[in-house]
Amino acid sequence: MEKQLHLNVLASRPPVSGGLQSRSKMRMGPGRKRDFSPLSWSEYFEAMEDVEVENDNAKDTFRIYCSGQHGPVLLLLHGGGHSALSWAVFTAVIYNRINCRVVAMDLRAHGDTKVKNSDDLSAETMAKDIGKVVEALYGENPPPIMMIGHSMGGAIAVHTAAANHVPSLLGLCVIDVVEGTAMDALNSMQNFLRSRPKTFKSVENAIEWSVKSGQIRNVESARVSMGGQVKKCEEPLNSPGVSKSISDGIIEEEEEEEEEGESNHKRKKEDDQEVKETLYTWQIDLSKTEKYWEGWFSGLSALFLSCPVPKLLLLAGVDRLDKDLTIGQMQGKFQMQVLPQCGHAVHEDAPEKVADALASFMVRHKFTEFKEGFLC
């Protein structure tokens, strides 16, 4: 059970008792449903851009979302299977707290990034990607950059910093990834991935699943984030693989929603008709990336401690430090904060708490200042 609580690679922790999932079963009044409709990136970021970089005699295009024109850059790197949109709500919150610019990036094979070799998800290749995007954006004189990564993105941020691919690096923030627990979780990861739905009948259905399963406990964040995790199925609808998995992706309506007078049989029939119109599946098949998992996390603690910039480690409440990090913390080599009652997607579940921790860290180190009028 403990290993299941530490799926730090890609997965969210199961919801705690009395958390969002249990509240989702509460009645919301006659005829009212929870809103799982998608939200646009433009409600949280000021701009979207495709950044083109040269890579092995080919051009790769990386999707980024940006806000702000002044101050240090917060370079945000998402976890495995997620996208830059997982930072949407956090971006709106942090941007109101401190003077900064935000650049959230879709990593290789994720989101709307298009690369020639989408199968190479090695830590070395992804770290180089980040350096090339920074260079494409800012040239030879990049502004001060604070790199912030969640889960896999946190591991890649450490590899990027250790290889000095971002020469103007101010500081490093790693969210909910610890080498020891991540390595322990690798044996359980394929089972976790197999337990997820293979298809969804709509983006709304994917959002609903993410909230009710506890993957993302913040409904607002799920509504903007899940659109970057799923895509329309490319396989024909009559293929065995798709038809077999249709029912896996359908979330049964809550009991109170059945009070509208429709029978289960009629509802199922209508769902089947909807499914025939279009299906959505995961943007990336994470099970096929297994050969890279160990490379992301092995030796991560020592690499993290070796980075010469100020460092912040933010953890969900159930995580523990491994030996190297415990010693490093006692020696004052990094700052750590535990955010209780969060799932693995800490920055989505509690964007305000993460923004408060990060803003305080950056102001304390004189990287930036609180915005005028913001009461810290």
Side-chain angles (χ1 to χ4, degrees), residues 12 84 146 241:
S12 298
M146 175 84 189

Side-chain angles (χ1 to χ4, degrees), residues 36 101 110 146 164 168 175 189 204 212 219 221 243 253 255 262 295 325 331 351:
F36 296 112
R101 288 172 270 183
H110 290 74
M146 175 84 189
N164 197 31
S168 61
I175 300 177
M189 187 49 56
E204 287 88 345
K212 291 180 178 178
V219 178
S221 192
S243 60
E253 300 289 342
E255 290 177 9
E262 295 180 299
L325 290 182
Q331 293 173 338

Side-chain angles (χ1 to χ4, degrees), residues 252 258 262-271:
E252 296 298 328
E258 292 174 2
E262 295 180 299
S263 68
N264 286 341
H265 177 72
K266 184 179 177 183
R267 185 180 297 277
K268 181 68 167 66
K269 200 171 178 182
E270 289 178 358
D271 284 347

Side-chain angles (χ1 to χ4, degrees), residues 77-91:
L77 308 177
H78 60 78
H82 292 251
S83 80
L85 296 178
S86 71
W87 298 101
V89 178
F90 166 82
T91 292

Side-chain angles (χ1 to χ4, degrees), residues 76 80 86 91 160 168 180 244 281 294 330 369:
L76 309 179
S86 71
T91 292
T160 305
S168 61
K244 180 177 182 295
T281 189
E294 187 171 341
M330 289 190 294
E369 297 175 345

Side-chain angles (χ1 to χ4, degrees), residues 136-209:
L137 284 172
Y138 305 113
E140 295 181 359
N141 296 302
I145 292 175
M146 175 84 189
M147 196 156 39
I148 303 156
H150 168 245
S151 195
M152 177 198 78
I156 301 306
V158 172
H159 285 278
T160 305
N164 197 31
H165 289 311
V166 180
S168 61
L169 192 67
L170 268 181
L172 182 62
C173 174
V174 172
I175 300 177
D176 212 42
V177 57
V178 169
E179 178 185 351
T181 48
M183 294 298 290
D184 286 346
L186 295 187
N187 291 332
S188 310
M189 187 49 56
Q190 288 290 6
N191 287 336
F192 167 78
L193 294 175
R194 280 192 291 270
S195 75
R196 302 191 306 176
K198 296 178 179 64
T199 59
F200 301 96
K201 62 182 180 180
S202 64
V203 177
E204 287 88 345
N205 183 228
I207 294 167
E208 184 178 6
W209 172 82

Side-chain angles (χ1 to χ4, degrees), residues 57-81:
N57 300 319
K59 291 188 186 298
D60 290 338
T61 304
F62 291 85
R63 171 67 56 87
I64 63 169
Y65 300 86
C66 312
S67 289
Q69 302 294 326
H70 307 288
V73 173
L74 309 184
L75 181 58
L76 309 179
L77 308 177
H78 60 78

